Amino acid sequence: MRFYISITALAAFIQCSHAKGPFLQTIDATRHVIGNNLWNVTIGPIYGTKLFYRDHDLVGGAVGHYVSYNGAASNLAWNSVAIYKKTDQFLDVVFTANEGEFHWVIFPELAGAYQYFVNTGLPVLGEFRTLWRLDNTTFLSGKTNIKDGPLPTFTQIQNATKVQDETWVQADGTYITKYDWTDFIRNSDYYGVYGPSFGSWYIDVGKDDYNGDHLKQELMVHRESSTGDVVQLNMIHGTHFQASSSDAFPVGKVWGPWLWYLNDGTLVDASRRAKDEAQLYPYSWFDNESYQSRGVVSGKIKLSDGRPAKGAAVFLGDNHPNETSLDQGRYYYYTTYADDNGNFKFSNVRTASYGLQAWSNGGSIRDVSTVLLINDVTVSKGKKTTLGDIVWKTQGRKQIFQLGDLDRKSLGFKYGGAPHEHALVAKCPANLTYVANHGNTIEWCFGQSALGTWTILFDINALPTNTSAVLSISLAGYSSGVSSSIFLNKSTLIGNLTSASIATDPCLYRSGTTAGEWHYFEFSIPGGLFVKGTNMIDFTVTRSSQWHGFMWDSIILEYA
Ligand SMILES: *[C@@H]1O[C@H](CO)[C@@H](O)[C@H](O)[C@H]1NC(C)=O
Ligand SMILES: *[C@@H]1O[C@H](CO)[C@@H](O)[C@H](O)[C@H]1NC(C)=O
Ligand SMILES: *[C@@H]1O[C@H](CO)[C@@H](O)[C@H](O)[C@H]1NC(C)=O
Ligand SMILES: *[C@@H]1O[C@H](CO)[C@@H](O)[C@H](O)[C@H]1NC(C)=O
Ligand SMILES: *[C@@H]1O[C@H](CO)[C@@H](O)[C@H](O)[C@H]1NC(C)=O
Ligand SMILES: *[C@@H]1O[C@H](CO)[C@@H](O)[C@H](O)[C@H]1NC(C)=O
Ligand SMILES: *[C@@H]1O[C@H](CO)[C@@H](O)[C@H](O)[C@H]1NC(C)=O
Ligand SMILES: *[C@@H]1O[C@H](CO)[C@@H](O)[C@H](O)[C@H]1NC(C)=O
Ligand SMILES: CC(=O)N[C@H]1CO[C@H](CO)[C@@H](O)[C@@H]1O
């Protein structure tokens, strides 16, 4: 027996002095080294530096790892460091700040670590992130689900002229902006930065901790413009493309665990790892009762006119919501799409009561402008909540014309959904004429910004006895400073879209091309104003602001 005990004691000694396996090593009161045989990082009062992996320092002269909120105004300062949990499988090391606990979960064979944050005292905030600022000679390129390539260099930025927030124009007229490295976070399977020999990635399978809905976008990676660092961002609560997103979080809200993963820089390996992680979610090793307590929600949605809610966007969010689905962010959020028959299913939903919403995502229900809301959807641990057949009441009006699909996106219009590029809206014309129900939607541009008039011509061959109508305007996004007036047949003002009366989001001027914050308006048109034959609706921009304006989703005219 003595023999075995001394072996164990010797093993423990080796673990401390030579750092075999997952370890926490204290250098002094404010400096600790964590890692395993494959990697280690030295974490100071705020920053993690000296990130060694395969004998190479991946942080070098860059700032390193930290956690911060509200536009980098506040970096979390670690008050204490401790081993939170040690099992046969892993070591969970916790760094505690006034705002909460940041955990690193280290497995022996894993290059990288799982990370999670438990809120204890975060203020009301919009932006909350963890990040790596890494060595810019090791990492050269960025990768999101929609963009892969070299980051702009520090020299290119310094040699260009700043035109707005993190945006520069180069001598050849092309732009550099960090916002080109934006993606829809719920579509992301893995993203990060890489070079010829090393890659650093974030793989967040769960995503229910993020704020917002299907169209939640975030900045993923970029070049730090004042230092040249390569930045790998983890915006776990963000505001970059939203009108508002200020939230007060319950104590105990947990973000993560997500995986921060190191490799040799190959994308196939990172992609394979992401697929493997998806099979493991929710992580069985994460011993947290609320995290493990999950159920299933399913149902079948049919429109009140009998059509199945084919492909509808379905969202499980705040119960009795007082914010838009994109703005919600206090708790946990789930997104999916209905199938061809209107069936939907959410798996692995945390136990709670939710508000379920559904809206058109185009296709065969592209004309439906109403939003389904069902409150008090209760999810219980290990149970299936079956909502059965749900009837979604449509607006039930007779259509005169529709331009674009109702899907909260600019897709189908010129530049709609194009690769990120700053100032694309400046290529849309000042004046434009579109023939409803005839023209290809590509003749309409995704955004209206310049002073001028965009006209829709539409024919009415037989006037009904009552020509009262409703003009519905759905905007995929809006950046303030641009106002317009809407006229019928040149003479009758039927409404206006006025800056300051519409909540603004930065999407259009931050190289967004698909969506920002969704807005929906209905304008009544009294009877007796249409003529038999050709009529017209004009959108006349009366006030403009460069690169700002309206990003279109759909325009629908219907008899009331
Ligand atoms: C961290 O890794 C480096 C490089 O492999 C190594 O020299 C160093 O001893 C490691 N630190 C600890 C505490 O294990
Ligand atoms: C890396 O950062 C340094 C400053 O720390 C800068 O001089 C250099 O140009 C940067 N490299 C790139 C490729 O941006
Ligand atoms: C810097 O800008 C000048 C023109 O203003 C251009 O000729 C030169 O190639 C640029 N240099 C770099 C490194 O981009
Ligand atoms: C588990 O989650 C609950 C509620 O989200 C939280 O209060 C608690 O601190 C968490 N425990 C751990 C170990 O993270
Ligand atoms: C919605 O309600 C929550 C909780 O009552 C509150 O904190 C939040 O400010 C409200 N949001 C809006 C936009 O009123
Ligand atoms: C747009 O049309 C108006 C009215 O016809 C005209 O005054 C203006 O010059 C046009 N703008 C452009 C850029 O063509
Ligand atoms: C025409 O329809 C509108 C909307 O349904 C209604 O408010 C209005 O009273 C009707 N007018 C006449 C003359 O029937
Ligand atoms: C916009 O229309 C509303 C009513 O429809 C009106 O009260 C407001 O004065 C208008 N604003 C502008 C700038 O035309
Ligand atoms: C009420 C109204 O303004 N009607 C006009 C609609 O547009 C046509 C064509 O320009 C005119 O002929 C109508 O007078």
Side-chain angles (χ1 to χ4, degrees):
M1 276 311 232
R2 277 183 177 278
F3 177 72
Y4 288 108
I5 288 166
S6 58
I7 291 285
T8 314
L10 181 63
F13 174 73
I14 290 169
Q15 203 156 335
C16 281
S17 59
H18 301 289
K20 303 278 183 200
F23 67 90
L24 162 66
Q25 191 183 73
T26 298
I27 300 175
D28 58 37
T30 61
R31 279 186 305 157
H32 300 82
V33 189
I34 58 169
N36 60 24
N37 284 342
L38 302 171
W39 66 278
N40 66 65
V41 62
T42 302
I43 301 182
I46 294 171
Y47 302 106
T49 55
K50 298 192 189 59
L51 169 60
F52 285 106
Y53 176 51
R54 290 207 246 106
D55 293 331
H56 188 84
D57 181 356
L58 305 185
V59 167
V63 167
H65 186 270
Y66 59 107
V67 181
S68 83
Y69 62 89
N70 285 349
S74 307
N75 294 340
L76 268 55
W78 312 121
N79 301 324
S80 66
V81 181
I83 290 183
Y84 178 78
K85 187 169 187 168
K86 186 173 179 10
T87 74
D88 295 346
Q89 279 185 288
F90 63 82
L91 182 71
D92 180 335
V93 182
V94 58
F95 288 73
T96 304
N98 294 340
E99 295 85 355
E101 301 170 357
F102 190 82
H103 294 252
W104 301 72
V105 180
I106 307 165
F107 285 75
E109 307 297 333
L110 178 60
Y114 292 93
Q115 300 174 317
Y116 66 96
F117 183 85
V118 183
N119 175 44
T120 59
L122 280 171
V124 172
L125 58 76
E127 203 164 85
F128 181 46
R129 64 211 186 131
T130 84
L131 65 155
W132 280 106
R133 284 171 58 170
L134 296 165
D135 177 54
N136 73 11
T137 61
T138 305
F139 299 95
L140 310 175
S141 292
K143 168 83 173 77
T144 70
N145 264 33
I146 55 174
K147 191 172 169 72
D148 176 16
L151 293 165
T153 67
F154 189 54
T155 314
Q156 282 175 315
I157 292 172
Q158 291 210 312
N159 198 30
T161 307
K162 191 160 191 172
V163 291
Q164 62 160 37
D165 161 33
E166 292 298 311
T167 307
W168 296 263
V169 64
Q170 302 183 98
D172 67 358
T174 60
Y175 294 97
I176 299 173
T177 176
K178 71 176 182 182
Y179 298 110
D180 284 353
W181 295 97
T182 295
D183 202 351
F184 290 99
I185 58 169
R186 285 190 168 75
N187 295 349
S188 171
D189 40 17
Y190 74 99
Y191 70 92
V193 292
Y194 67 99
S197 309
F198 296 94
S200 180
W201 312 100
Y202 283 123
I203 298 171
D204 188 338
V205 178
K207 298 184 169 60
D208 57 355
D209 47 355
Y210 288 135
N211 56 324
D213 60 18
H214 309 60
L215 294 178
K216 165 68 190 167
Q217 293 171 96
E218 265 313 330
L219 183 59
M220 317 294 267
V221 300
H222 68 98
R223 167 89 52 198
E224 220 300 319
S225 64
S226 58
T227 64
D229 289 0
V230 165
V231 184
Q232 181 190 0
L233 266 182
N234 183 30
M235 297 292 314
I236 52 183
H237 193 284
T239 66
H240 279 114
F241 300 89
Q242 291 169 243
S244 81
S245 56
S246 184
D247 287 306
F249 306 105
V251 168
K253 167 150 181 171
V254 177
W255 279 272
W258 59 83
L259 174 63
W260 159 64
Y261 179 60
L262 290 172
N263 74 359
D264 62 359
T266 53
L267 306 188
V268 273
D269 173 69
S271 169
R272 193 185 308 122
R273 183 79 204 196
K275 286 191 183 74
D276 291 348
E277 291 301 313
Q279 300 307 309
L280 300 173
Y281 181 82
Y283 296 115
S284 57
W285 53 260
F286 187 40
D287 180 22
N288 182 290
E289 172 56 24
S290 351
Y291 176 87
Q292 297 295 348
S293 178
R294 293 171 190 258
V296 173
V297 180
S298 66
K300 181 174 187 172
I301 313 174
K302 203 181 193 180
L303 303 185
S304 53
D305 61 19
R307 284 179 286 169
K310 185 174 173 177
V314 192
F315 175 73
L316 210 47
D318 290 352
N319 200 17
H320 300 277
N322 63 348
E323 292 165 354
T324 68
S325 51
L326 189 64
D327 282 358
Q328 294 174 27
R330 276 170 280 159
Y331 309 115
Y332 300 95
Y333 302 92
Y334 302 87
T335 61
T336 192
Y337 296 93
D339 71 10
D340 287 358
N341 300 314
N343 296 299
F344 68 88
K345 183 176 172 184
F346 295 96
S347 303
N348 297 318
V349 179
R350 282 171 173 261
T351 302
S353 291
Y354 294 91
L356 180 133
Q357 300 191 37
W359 56 88
S360 165
N361 191 38
S364 63
I365 64 164
R366 63 186 286 272
D367 57 301
V368 178
S369 58
T370 55
V371 174
L372 173 72
L373 170 64
I374 299 172
N375 287 310
D376 303 313
V377 173
T378 301
V379 179
S380 311
K381 185 177 181 178
K383 296 266 164 58
K384 289 185 174 150
T385 302
T386 309
L387 299 174
D389 292 335
I390 299 165
V391 177
W392 171 4
K393 200 171 180 329
T394 69
Q395 71 270 33
R397 295 192 285 246
K398 189 177 181 301
Q399 191 178 102
I400 302 169
F401 73 78
Q402 176 173 8
L403 177 51
D405 294 357
L406 279 162
D407 58 6
R408 304 189 177 183
K409 298 186 279 271
S410 68
L411 305 182
F413 301 131
K414 179 111 175 146
Y415 305 122
H420 291 302
E421 185 182 328
H422 177 65
L424 218 40
V425 72
K427 295 187 183 171
C428 291
N431 297 306
L432 184 160
T433 299
Y434 179 86
V435 180
N437 299 330
H438 294 91
N440 187 329
T441 53
I442 208 80
E443 294 165 9
W444 189 262
C445 209
F446 84 121
Q448 187 177 11
S449 177
L451 293 173
T453 297
W454 291 17
T455 301
I456 301 173
L457 299 176
F458 60 99
D459 284 341
I460 295 184
N461 298 324
L463 284 171
T465 38
N466 188 344
T467 58
S468 288
V470 176
L471 179 70
S472 304
I473 310 289
S474 179
L475 298 178
Y478 173 71
S479 298
S480 68
V482 180
S483 297
S484 88
S485 298
I486 309 168
F487 296 94
L488 173 66
N489 290 346
K490 303 284 180 207
S491 51
T492 312
L493 177 70
I494 54 180
N496 51 52
L497 297 167
T498 311
S499 186
S501 71
I502 310 173
T504 180
D505 73 72
C507 179
L508 197 60
Y509 67 86
R510 284 184 171 169
S511 73
T513 62
T514 301
E517 181 95 30
W518 175 64
H519 298 277
Y520 178 75
F521 308 92
E522 290 188 348
F523 299 99
S524 302
I525 301 177
L529 295 180
F530 294 148
V531 291
K532 195 169 182 300
T534 301
N535 292 260
M536 63 182 78
I537 285 176
D538 286 341
F539 295 89
T540 299
V541 171
T542 53
R543 176 187 161 191
S544 184
S545 177
Q546 193 181 35
W547 306 323
H548 291 230
F550 307 99
M551 189 187 287
W552 299 105
D553 170 24
S554 188
I555 300 166
I556 310 184
L557 185 64
E558 295 161 318
Y559 289 114

